[in-house]
Amino acid sequence: MKDRVKELTPAPVTGGLKRALVRYGQATASRRPLPDFLIIGTKRGGTTSLWNYLLRHPGVPHLFPAWNTKTSHYFEENWPRGVDWYRSHFPTERQRAAQSDRYGGPVRAGEAAPLYMFHPLAPQRVHELMPRVRLIVLLRDPVERAYSHWKERRTEGHEPLDFAAALAAEPARTAGERGRLIADENYFSEPYDWHTYRARGRYLEHLEPWLDRFERGQLLVLPSESLYREPAASYRRVLEFVGLPHFDPGEFRVYNDRRSAPMDPAVRAELTEYFRPYNRALAERLGIDFDWAS
């Protein structure tokens, strides 16, 4: 089983070869269909785990070139690069056909980018380019999500504050960033990505622009807790949603899990009360019973 996990880790690529592959991808962009599905959120909600499960399916190709393991970040950070650059990340029609012939079934290409759901311009950008794309959303208890988000930033050296202090600093750190993103289509905001521990958990306000633009049947919303607790059943739902036959990936390990000390009870209590009305509105709007939406 360890060997199968290693298959998802691309080999190092030299600078010259990397540049050549990027140029080749863009030169062949017209022969590369746009993706069939996107995993658009949420950050720290299991998107990396689900993406790795999907990559084990013989009908899901890796991104191109191989070092792009999960996402192009096109609809947020890399928007100025243009659509040919975006297309360059996906297999050509010939590659799709060859992959389909090898295993005898359909091919569905996609990417996993948890910032897409949260970025104010991404819904319209995606809809204009791919109005029929399938969208997958994983939603985790926003209290746990916020703490996990902070742990990631802390571990990676981008967060000097403890969790309570980071929550208190969030409004000042992110003030005006959403407006700047809307005003300047080429702007990318690290604070908006890095330090929005509380804001990202107000899920409904970020989902509404997607619900307004896409048919409800184009969105599959799954509780992250279901993916962790019943991964095989959740995986089957995802495969059916994107149009792929059943497949056993062999294991459902959790990727990017971050162990730590428990959250301070007082902070947990405050966040639980803060998110309560947002969670209830989300559950009512989607008609989904989340374990944490009470």
Side-chain angles (χ1 to χ4, degrees):
M1 198 62 65
K2 291 181 180 179
D3 290 337
R4 296 185 68 188
V5 173
K6 289 179 181 178
E7 290 173 2
L8 302 184
T9 304
V13 181
T14 64
L17 177 57
K18 186 172 183 177
R19 289 189 292 272
L21 288 172
V22 170
R23 289 195 297 270
Y24 170 75
Q26 291 184 261
T28 56
S30 63
R31 303 199 294 272
R32 298 176 181 273
L34 291 164
D36 304 287
F37 70 89
L38 301 176
I39 303 174
I40 63 172
T42 184
K43 185 176 182 64
R44 307 303 302 162
T47 58
T48 299
S49 292
L50 178 57
W51 177 246
N52 277 278
Y53 304 159
L54 286 170
L55 281 184
R56 296 189 184 285
H57 194 288
V60 178
H62 287 249
L63 295 185
F64 179 87
W67 62 81
N68 293 300
T69 57
K70 181 179 173 182
T71 180
S72 68
H73 291 291
Y74 175 58
F75 293 102
E76 13 97 349
E77 184 173 3
N78 290 313
W79 180 251
R81 294 178 182 270
V83 68
D84 282 352
W85 181 89
Y86 183 54
R87 283 181 176 272
S88 75
H89 291 77
F90 302 100
T92 64
E93 294 170 346
R94 179 177 296 181
Q95 289 167 338
R96 278 176 171 252
Q99 186 165 347
S100 178
D101 288 344
R102 282 195 300 272
Y103 97 98
V107 169
R108 298 289 185 267
E111 63 168 336
L115 184 54
Y116 285 175
M117 186 181 82
F118 188 55
H119 194 285
L121 299 182
Q124 185 61 29
R125 288 171 173 176
V126 172
H127 187 263
E128 289 178 353
L129 187 60
M130 303 180 294
R132 309 189 76 82
V133 72
R134 295 258 160 173
L135 304 167
I136 302 166
V137 183
L138 292 167
L139 298 182
R140 182 182 182 183
D141 178 346
V143 176
E144 298 295 340
R145 192 222 67 80
Y147 192 45
S148 182
H149 186 174
W150 170 82
K151 286 189 291 184
E152 180 185 67
R153 296 293 89 193
R154 185 82 161 179
T155 302
E156 295 178 353
H158 301 303
E159 180 53 85
L161 304 178
D162 65 32
F163 187 43
L167 289 171
E170 180 176 337
R173 282 171 154 181
T174 62
E177 290 302 294
R178 186 176 178 85
R180 289 186 67 184
L181 288 167
I182 294 171
D184 182 356
E185 66 175 15
N186 295 327
Y187 178 65
F188 178 75
S189 170
E190 287 183 345
Y192 190 76
D193 184 13
W194 288 0
H195 300 306
T196 44
Y197 308 114
R198 196 184 297 261
R200 283 200 188 215
R202 299 192 299 263
Y203 295 134
L204 185 55
E205 69 182 65
H206 311 305
L207 275 177
E208 283 289 9
W210 298 91
L211 294 167
D212 288 344
R213 290 168 174 78
F214 294 90
E215 296 292 332
R216 183 64 180 87
Q218 289 178 255
L219 280 87
L220 175 64
V221 180
L222 289 173
S224 301
E225 293 76 13
S226 296
L227 178 67
Y228 298 140
R229 185 173 57 245
E230 301 172 336
S234 297
Y235 187 57
R236 284 195 297 271
R237 286 190 64 188
V238 171
L239 293 182
E240 181 180 352
F241 177 70
V242 300
L244 289 170
H246 174 68
F247 176 76
D248 181 1
E251 67 168 357
F252 291 101
R253 58 165 284 199
V254 176
Y255 289 76
N256 287 349
D257 189 24
R258 296 179 186 274
R259 304 293 180 180
S260 70
M263 191 187 315
D264 180 274
V267 175
R268 178 182 293 279
E270 188 277 324
L271 281 178
T272 299
E273 286 304 309
Y274 173 82
F275 284 121
R276 193 180 305 280
Y278 298 105
N279 294 342
R280 286 175 175 168
L282 174 75
E284 291 175 5
R285 176 73 168 86
L286 298 180
I288 296 175
D289 293 326
F290 298 96
D291 294 344
W292 32 266
S294 61

